Amino acid sequence: MELSLCMIVRDEESRLGRCLESVKDTVDEIVILDTGSADGTKAIARRYTDRVYDYAWKDDFADARNTSFSYASKPFILWLDADDVLDPGEAEKLFALKARLDDGVDAVMLPYAYAYGPDGRPSLVFERERIVRRAAGFAFSGVVHEAMAVGGNVLHEDIIVRHTGEHGAQSNRRNLSIYETWRSRGRDLSARDWYYYARELKSAGETEKAEAAFAAFLEMDGWAVNRLDAFILRGECLMQLGRMPEAKRSLFAALEHGAPRAEVLCALGACFLQEEDLHAAAHWYRAALLCELPQTSGAFTFPDAYGYIPLMQLCVILSRLGEDVEASKMNEQALLLRPNDPAALQNRAFFSARLAAKKG
């Protein structure tokens, strides 16, 4: 089946070419919707397609994304942002997937490697509804962090879209401004909007407002994966505010959402560690090590929570409990995951000297 690529862009001359170069050989049509660029973005886009359209920005990402879809003519639509890239091996897998797409497929979920650690490994991964059948009529919703609620026959494929940008202060301010604008106009935010509004507040360091926004979201009928994450993030906000009993209640509520996730267990470990209950903290971090990294949950996944973080925290806790041998073992396991990690290498030197001194 043929595939349209639809993108919305603005002032992306430094990144758009790299994105389009990575995907041009796997798609049959490229649609670019420009939302007001003042740089060379449109000129770069026209090197790859003559289907470049202007769009009057309305502080509504979903509307822009849906407008870009309206220009597509192929049976299936792929969407990307200008700071997304398909590495060569992933592009080859996408090309192979096209041969398997037919009218019986409604949507395809792909993993999105959104952030990376210092060792170059993904530190935040989640699935996105990345390809949809045009005739299925799925539409985006959400003024910011727009998404589609897809259904029918949905495939889950291991084709990684790599995000190369950063969600920095500028985009954080932009997103908060959009939410505040819509609220000032009296528009009712959806449950999903409240969830992402709360996340933006937390990222901006507005902890009290974020906690209240997460609480408001949790009173609504939001997506289960968003509720799970909201309980964790609200718990973290409450910890920062020193409201520890409420933080625990929020984190324990997260455990009601299916099999325990390492993100929840690590947060509980941090909660008890903040209270100086070392044995309880160690319990939760050990429990996190028993969790398997989920592949298709739809929730935000932090791979480090499934190994590196609990191992490093157990190293600290066990050392404080006087169990240096066990602490060193935890640190060595962390080094198997991150062989060049500066913190773990420093720990190795520390324990080597300390254990040698004890033997002497």
Side-chain angles (χ1 to χ4, degrees):
M1 280 286 186
E2 290 186 312
L3 186 64
S4 296
L5 168 65
C6 292
M7 301 179 64
I8 59 173
V9 299
R10 181 175 184 173
D11 294 335
E12 295 287 2
E13 65 177 2
S14 65
R15 299 185 285 196
L16 181 59
R18 178 176 55 181
C19 172
L20 293 176
E21 197 65 30
S22 77
V23 74
K24 66 177 183 178
D25 294 330
T26 66
V27 298
D28 305 283
E29 174 182 68
I30 297 175
V31 173
I32 305 292
L33 192 74
D34 188 90
T35 67
S37 293
D39 63 2
T41 295
K42 288 195 286 186
I44 292 171
R46 290 192 179 103
R47 297 176 192 168
Y48 296 87
T49 179
D50 58 359
R51 306 202 65 191
V52 180
Y53 304 93
D54 290 318
Y55 171 86
W57 181 242
K58 305 173 184 177
D59 282 336
D60 190 332
F61 277 92
D63 184 77
R65 195 77 72 181
N66 290 330
T67 300
S68 74
F69 273 33
S70 72
Y71 290 110
S73 65
K74 303 305 179 183
F76 284 86
I77 301 173
L78 162 73
W79 68 272
L80 294 171
D81 287 323
D83 54 3
D84 294 334
V85 170
L86 276 181
D87 290 326
E90 308 307 314
E92 290 176 8
K93 288 190 283 186
L94 176 60
F95 192 82
L97 170 66
K98 284 175 57 181
R100 294 189 281 117
L101 294 177
D102 56 35
D103 290 338
V105 176
D106 295 297
V108 183
M109 305 290 291
L110 302 183
Y112 193 24
Y114 188 79
Y116 288 79
D119 59 353
R121 298 182 183 182
S123 60
L124 173 59
V125 181
F126 51 95
E127 277 195 318
R128 288 304 313 258
E129 62 296 359
R130 191 61 71 172
I131 299 172
V132 295
R133 183 167 58 85
R134 183 164 62 91
F138 299 124
F140 284 93
S141 62
V143 294
V144 183
H145 300 294
E146 67 283 5
M148 289 179 284
V150 298
N153 182 20
V154 180
L155 305 182
H156 296 263
E157 298 289 330
D158 183 25
I159 303 172
I160 299 172
V161 176
R162 180 165 61 88
H163 181 248
T164 64
E166 294 182 358
H167 182 63
Q170 182 176 354
S171 59
N172 182 238
R173 286 193 300 270
R174 177 203 64 198
N175 293 346
L176 282 175
S177 176
I178 292 173
Y179 283 125
E180 296 295 354
T181 296
W182 281 107
R183 293 189 68 193
S184 69
R185 293 175 182 172
R187 171 169 174 165
D188 292 331
L189 298 182
S190 68
R192 191 174 183 278
D193 285 327
W194 271 103
Y195 165 71
Y196 279 101
Y197 177 41
R199 287 183 63 95
E200 294 290 350
L201 288 168
K202 188 174 186 293
S203 294
E206 299 189 37
T207 308
E208 290 189 19
K209 290 183 179 180
E211 186 278 319
F214 281 124
F217 162 74
L218 289 167
E219 292 296 321
M220 303 176 184
D221 186 21
W223 290 0
V225 291
N226 291 161
R227 291 183 64 81
L228 167 64
D229 195 51
F231 278 121
I232 300 172
L233 296 177
R234 185 181 180 223
E236 292 177 354
C237 288
L238 290 164
M239 287 169 58
Q240 292 176 33
L241 295 170
R243 295 158 58 182
M244 303 305 288
E246 293 173 87
K248 290 177 186 176
R249 285 196 292 272
S250 186
L251 295 173
F252 281 123
L255 292 176
E256 298 176 6
H257 290 262
R261 292 176 58 91
E263 293 88 350
V264 183
L265 303 177
C266 284
L268 280 165
C271 188
F272 282 95
L273 184 57
Q274 186 169 318
E275 291 186 314
E276 293 294 318
D277 190 339
L278 301 184
H279 291 284
H283 167 83
W284 292 110
Y285 284 121
R286 288 187 188 279
L289 291 174
L290 299 177
C291 296
E292 293 185 3
L293 183 67
Q295 301 299 320
T296 60
S297 70
F300 289 113
T301 300
F302 295 87
D304 282 348
Y306 294 79
Y308 175 78
I309 290 174
L311 286 168
M312 291 295 282
Q313 292 296 82
L314 282 166
C315 172
V316 172
I317 292 168
L318 292 170
S319 181
R320 290 179 62 184
L321 290 171
E323 300 179 30
D324 286 337
V325 173
E326 290 302 312
S328 179
K329 290 179 181 178
M330 294 297 166
N331 188 69
E332 291 303 310
Q333 289 184 50
L335 276 167
L336 291 175
L337 299 175
R338 287 191 182 181
N340 299 313
D341 182 65
L345 289 173
Q346 185 176 355
N347 287 346
R348 173 184 277 175
F350 169 80
F351 286 118
S352 178
R354 188 161 175 170
L355 293 172
K358 286 183 178 181
K359 288 181 180 179

